[in-house]
Amino acid sequence: EISCSLVGSEMCIRDRKYTICLLAISMIAGLSSCSLFGLDYQFNYENEAAPVTTELNMTCYEFIRSRSNSDLVLMYEAINRAEMQEFYETDNLTYFLLDDEEFASWLTTKKYASVASVPKSELQTMLKGYTLPGLYHSADLTTSPIDVLTCNGVLSIRLRLYPNPPTSSQDLNAMQAGYVNEDGTVNYSKCHTTNLRPTNGIAHLLHTRFLAL
């Protein structure tokens, strides 16, 4: 009876170890398949910067149009109302795109009921304020910030990498950007999906819009 109990205990221990191994494998698989905006999100387990580039095989405007029924509805509507389709197909520009929640927040702040109620000229200024001349990939950045004048010729955006703690589930070197205020301060927004490569430039998707004081 004693030997049978020992055998039973050993089998139980082996079963538990097997179950634990399966759970660990499932958790790793789950983390590896995480995505945002329908795009794979990168995790960096080596504590080194290794930004992912997603080739879109379409222009930025075509990408926004492809998501005009999901998370970029208002962005698509604003571009069309501002008659800026060609602008979003222009080469060598870096675009910061707002999801619907943040675009709606901008409308609320400006006291507009809808995109259709915003004057075209104001939309043009706003959209150009989220666009930079030149190509800015996170691999080109460091923790030392740089300021770049936007395409509206008035506001500048400060870009940098922000080192997340090793315990963070996000990329350890997250890209941050924000408008430079008159006093030199910046309210940084995190770019949750970076380095999208439409055929005409680079696009970064924002969950938090830029704020200027």
Side-chain angles (χ1 to χ4, degrees):
E1 292 179 359
I2 293 175
S3 62
C4 288
S5 297
L6 289 173
V7 171
S9 297
E10 290 176 355
M11 291 179 65
C12 182
I13 292 171
R14 284 199 301 271
D15 289 343
R16 287 179 179 176
K17 288 182 176 178
Y18 180 71
T19 301
I20 291 171
C21 287
L22 286 178
L23 287 172
I25 292 171
S26 298
M27 289 175 67
I28 292 172
L31 285 172
S32 300
S33 62
C34 284
S35 63
L36 189 66
F37 288 99
L39 300 164
D40 290 339
Y41 195 90
Q42 178 191 10
F43 292 94
N44 188 330
Y45 299 107
E46 299 300 324
N47 293 353
E48 297 176 355
V52 171
T53 298
T54 303
E55 300 288 344
L56 297 179
N57 296 318
M58 63 182 78
T59 66
C60 188
Y61 177 72
E62 289 170 337
F63 170 69
I64 295 168
R65 182 173 61 191
S66 74
R67 306 192 71 82
S68 61
N69 290 318
S70 54
D71 48 14
L72 296 177
V73 178
L74 296 177
M75 192 83 191
Y76 179 68
E77 185 180 347
I79 291 169
N80 289 329
R81 173 160 174 73
E83 299 180 345
M84 293 180 65
Q85 295 92 330
E86 290 186 8
F87 181 78
Y88 281 83
E89 294 186 331
T90 301
D91 290 335
N92 298 318
L93 293 179
T94 297
Y95 304 95
F96 290 93
L97 310 180
L98 290 177
D99 67 8
D100 287 334
E101 181 178 350
E102 287 305 311
F103 210 108
S105 174
W106 180 83
L107 290 172
T108 299
T109 299
K110 296 295 183 178
K111 301 187 183 331
Y112 290 117
S114 66
V115 170
S117 61
V118 184
K120 290 182 180 180
S121 60
E122 186 170 351
L123 281 176
Q124 290 169 351
T125 299
M126 179 267 191
L127 293 172
K128 288 180 180 180
Y130 277 81
T131 309
L132 299 176
L135 302 178
Y136 293 90
H137 190 288
S138 67
D140 302 323
L141 303 175
T142 69
T143 53
S144 297
I146 60 171
D147 294 352
V148 184
L149 185 65
T150 66
C151 289
N152 72 13
V154 177
L155 296 170
S156 291
I157 291 176
R158 183 168 294 168
L159 305 169
R160 71 173 183 181
L161 290 182
Y162 180 80
N164 284 315
T167 55
S168 174
S169 63
Q170 297 183 10
D171 184 0
L172 295 177
N173 289 285
M175 181 178 176
Q176 291 187 323
Y179 287 140
V180 182
N181 300 311
E182 290 184 2
D183 61 0
T185 61
V186 175
N187 297 313
Y188 281 108
S189 299
K190 285 187 178 181
C191 304
H192 290 289
T193 304
T194 59
N195 308 324
L196 301 177
R197 286 304 303 262
T199 55
N200 61 308
I202 294 177
H204 306 292
L205 296 175
L206 298 173
H207 262 324
T208 307
R209 63 191 175 88
F210 298 150
L211 298 175
L213 299 179

